[in-house]
Amino acid sequence: MSRWPLWAVLAPGEPAWLERRARAIVMTEEDEEDGKEQPFEVIAGSGRYQAIVSTEASYVGAEMQIAEELSLECDEPVYSIERANDPWAVTAWRNGALEVLEVGPEGLAKSLGCPLPGSEKTSDRAARKPLRHVALVEGVRAQEAPRVLQEANDPFPPEHYRFEDTPRGLRISSRTGNIGFADVTLSERLPNAIAYAVIASPSLDFLVVSMLQGGECIGRFAHPHDEFTSLPVINEVKGERSPERILAALGIPAEWFRHE
């Protein structure tokens, strides 16, 4: 893997088994039938633990889903590492329950015998262009969202999120820039909800908007254009094509992504 991974899962078990289980967790039957490539790779460690790593920004959040499911099948803890944002999120999973850890991802991975790719070459966080994940959800109010997420056993506590009612809909953000699968869950649980999930870099040279309804992606806008996605492609969001104007149309301040 030549690119710096955005997320990882550190789990005990045989590499081939972990790859099969992770693929089953994040990929649908349609993905398999279409011959879609899996959005991660498994890197064998020197001991019990292996690393599942990915450079795919549109799959940020999948690490929590994989870790949660694997923790139900493993006797030892499973760790999820989300490195797209700053500060990094490092979480330990045991029997489906999470605990946020105050440890560095590289140190944890090294201690388990599976150092992450690029760890020695990327000590400067500023060069890593951390991404942020924000969403606008139409058809739901701020007072309703926490209840829906709790009923769905969302891994984050309600105080992790910032819910704001706006004229355009419910805006969801967080201090860390990671909202997990909150946008997917709300679009799935509420029949009238349509979510616009935005993942972008500080300079907005990378931006992906996924339009979600019923828990499924019904349209994906990417800047720059992604020729290899199997998701339905849209060429504009709210009638706009540039990252700045798309964010303005969604009522999401561009400054949120330009953190230092």
Side-chain angles (χ1 to χ4, degrees), residues 68 140 142-161 163 181-182 185-186 189-190:
E68 180 181 9
V140 61
Q143 63 182 14
E144 184 180 15
R147 175 186 58 79
V148 174
L149 294 176
Q150 285 185 303
E151 290 176 352
N153 296 317
D154 184 78
F156 288 124
E159 58 269 20
H160 173 83
Y161 301 103
F163 299 108
F181 285 93
T185 300
L186 291 174
R189 294 260 172 164
L190 300 172

Side-chain angles (χ1 to χ4, degrees), residues 130 188 219:
E188 180 180 33

Side-chain angles (χ1 to χ4, degrees), residues 168-192:
R168 297 174 178 84
L170 174 64
R171 193 164 57 199
I172 306 176
S173 59
S174 76
R175 179 183 61 83
T176 67
N178 178 15
I179 63 170
F181 285 93
D183 43 12
V184 178
T185 300
L186 291 174
S187 75
E188 180 180 33
R189 294 260 172 164
L190 300 172
N192 296 323

